[in-house]
């Protein structure tokens, strides 16, 4: 059962069911547990239907602390992870009803990954913005048209409800909650302890430009994508790419439009933005050096590309790693 409850403890109840992804559960809970080493007071409990043990997608067995149906409030934070087979979850009216019941006794409700479907089925996302895993966002929008689905954000806060994208995004969400509860210094200490970033700007579309482009049928397009990804800072003008591919600029443009719905120049820019974000995250080079290393040539060119791709300036992107709170741009 863990530590004994204290009067000032912040009670977190994590709802667990069969088929969840382990990291959806352990990621946020480890964030809260680590926060206790830096002055926080979290009381962590898991609850399952009937109090039964559950198995994760990896086959790991979790023993629940509480019987879901017997849990009462007040609850400071209620967290609902999800599983890939969200349809079977939302068809379980008893389970959805229990989540809805507990939500009325909770100060704050959160979901990880496809847990957003459970919240939506319980009516908790009607008229609200919400996030889920990028692979499931369109399905959430179609299944629950009253939900304003954010297709790109790592996590979304709308009133007392916080929803996050998939898997490791639950860690981002939990860090933001720690900062809200106990301040930025505690959250920063936890991020350092767990060796994770305080926040990731940009959104799910950054994971990653090459992977999100899929596997084009044209060998010409595949070769261009691989060449640009291997050396974002190289010479990748339309003429240079077409010459290396042995086709005309017009033909290369047509292939990119047909296969990817974008242009070669658009792919190059997005790849360079991705390269620059890595340099900003991991180093202390000046913006001018980062711009040159990632192929932009100048800080101003990089700034314009960041604005188009991420909606923020490179300096703001770097600053966001100091706090989970969105910065003004």
């Amino acid at each position: 059962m863990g530590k004994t409850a204290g009067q000032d403890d912040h009670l977190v109840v994590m709802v667990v069911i069969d088929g969840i992804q382990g990291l959806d559960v352990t990621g946020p809970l480890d964030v809260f547990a680590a926060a206790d080493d830096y002055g926080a007071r979290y009381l962590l409990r898991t609850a399952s239907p009937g109090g039964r043990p559950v198995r994760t997608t990896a086959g790991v067995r979790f023993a629940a602390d509480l019987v879901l149906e017997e849990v009462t409030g007040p609850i400071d934070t209620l967290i609902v992870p999800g599983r890939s087979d969200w349809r079977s979850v939302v068809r379980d009216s008893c389970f959805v009803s229990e989540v809805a019941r507990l939500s009325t006794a909770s100060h704050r409700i959160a979901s990880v990954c496809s847990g957003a479907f459970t919240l939506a089925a319980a009516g908790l996302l009607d008229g609200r913005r919400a996030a889920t895993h990028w692979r499931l966002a369109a399905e959430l929008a179609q299944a629950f048209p009253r939900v304003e689905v954010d297709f790109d954000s790592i996590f979304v806060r709308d009133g007392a409800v916080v929803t996050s994208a998939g898997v490791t995004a639950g860690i981002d969400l939990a860090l933001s909650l720690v900062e809200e509860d106990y301040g930025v210094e505690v959250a920063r200490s936890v991020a350092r302890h767990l060796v994770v970033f305080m926040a990731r700007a940009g959104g799910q579309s950054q994971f990653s430009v090459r992977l999100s482009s899929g596997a084009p049928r044209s060998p010409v397009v595949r070769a261009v994508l691989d060449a640009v990804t291997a050396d974002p800072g190289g010479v990748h003008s339309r003429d240079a790419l077409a010459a290396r591919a042995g086709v005309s600029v017009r033909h290369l443009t047509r292939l990119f439009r047909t296969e990817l719905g974008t242009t070669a120049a658009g792919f190059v820019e997005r790849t360079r933005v991705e390269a620059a974000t890595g340099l900003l995250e991991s180093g202390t080079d000046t913006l001018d050096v980062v711009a040159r290393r990632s192929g932009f040539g100048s800080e101003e060119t990089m700034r314009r590309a960041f604005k188009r791709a991420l909606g923020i300036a490179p300096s703001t992107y770097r600053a966001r790693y100091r706090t989970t709170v969105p910065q003004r741009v």
Side-chain angles (χ1 to χ4, degrees):
M1 287 291 289
K3 70 180 184 181
T4 304
Q7 184 176 0
D8 297 327
D9 284 337
H10 182 117
L11 176 61
V12 176
V13 175
M14 174 75 76
V15 178
V16 293
I17 54 175
D18 277 321
I20 53 176
Q21 187 153 319
L23 192 55
D24 286 1
V25 175
T26 59
L29 292 182
D30 278 340
V31 169
F32 296 127
D36 284 351
D37 292 334
Y38 298 97
R41 294 283 301 272
Y42 287 108
L43 179 65
L44 308 178
R45 295 290 184 262
T46 55
S48 70
R52 296 181 293 274
V54 302
R55 286 196 180 275
T56 70
T57 53
V60 177
R61 186 173 180 268
F62 282 171
D65 299 315
L66 307 170
V67 177
L68 178 63
E69 295 81 359
E70 297 177 359
V71 177
T72 58
I75 298 170
D76 294 296
T77 301
L78 176 70
I79 304 180
V80 181
R83 67 185 191 190
S84 57
D85 183 17
W86 61 264
R87 290 178 179 83
S88 65
V89 178
V90 301
R91 284 196 298 264
D92 187 341
S93 58
C94 292
F95 175 69
V96 173
S97 294
E98 285 302 316
V99 171
R101 177 183 66 83
L102 289 181
S103 71
T104 64
S106 302
H107 173 69
R108 186 170 61 195
I109 305 103
S111 68
V112 181
C113 197
S114 62
F117 287 86
T118 304
L119 299 191
L124 301 176
L125 298 183
D126 287 354
R128 296 184 187 273
R129 288 177 60 240
T132 189
H133 193 286
W134 62 271
R135 286 186 182 274
L136 301 174
E139 295 178 35
L140 180 62
Q142 183 175 16
F144 298 96
R146 297 185 66 182
V147 180
E148 183 185 340
V149 179
D150 186 321
F151 283 71
D152 193 46
S153 292
I154 299 296
F155 62 88
V156 172
R157 177 73 180 261
D158 192 329
V161 181
V162 195
T163 52
S164 74
V167 197
T168 58
I171 295 174
D172 297 81
L173 179 148
L175 280 170
S176 75
L177 300 184
V178 169
E179 180 174 350
E180 179 181 324
D181 297 335
Y182 294 101
V184 66
E185 290 302 327
V186 174
R188 184 179 294 127
S189 296
V190 173
R192 289 172 179 158
H193 178 83
L194 297 178
V195 198
V196 297
F197 293 118
M198 278 285 283
R200 287 181 283 178
Q204 300 185 70
S205 59
Q206 65 185 297
F207 306 116
S208 80
V209 174
R210 178 63 181 92
L211 293 178
S212 65
S213 299
R217 291 170 296 176
S218 167
V220 171
V221 175
R222 288 199 302 271
V224 170
L225 298 188
D226 291 341
V228 173
T229 304
D231 182 20
V235 178
H236 299 310
S237 66
R238 290 187 306 170
D239 289 342
L241 291 175
R244 286 201 296 269
V247 296
S248 67
V249 170
R250 186 173 182 179
H251 184 55
L252 183 65
T253 299
R254 187 184 309 113
L255 286 173
F256 263 77
R257 286 291 188 193
T258 302
E259 295 270 0
L260 304 180
T262 186
T263 63
F267 177 80
V268 171
E269 179 174 287
R270 286 164 49 216
T271 302
R272 285 173 171 169
V273 168
E274 184 176 67
T277 60
L279 294 172
L280 291 170
E281 292 164 9
S282 61
T284 58
D285 287 337
T286 64
L287 295 181
D288 182 60
V289 171
V290 170
R292 284 187 279 107
R293 289 183 61 190
S294 53
F296 285 111
S298 72
E299 183 179 335
E300 177 58 25
T301 301
M302 181 173 71
R303 189 191 68 79
R304 290 197 299 268
F306 264 63
K307 282 286 189 177
R308 283 190 292 268
L310 306 179
I312 59 174
S315 57
T316 305
Y317 183 94
R318 174 171 273 170
R320 279 189 174 181
Y321 285 83
R322 300 172 187 168
T323 176
T324 63
V325 177
Q327 304 293 300
R328 292 187 177 184
V329 296

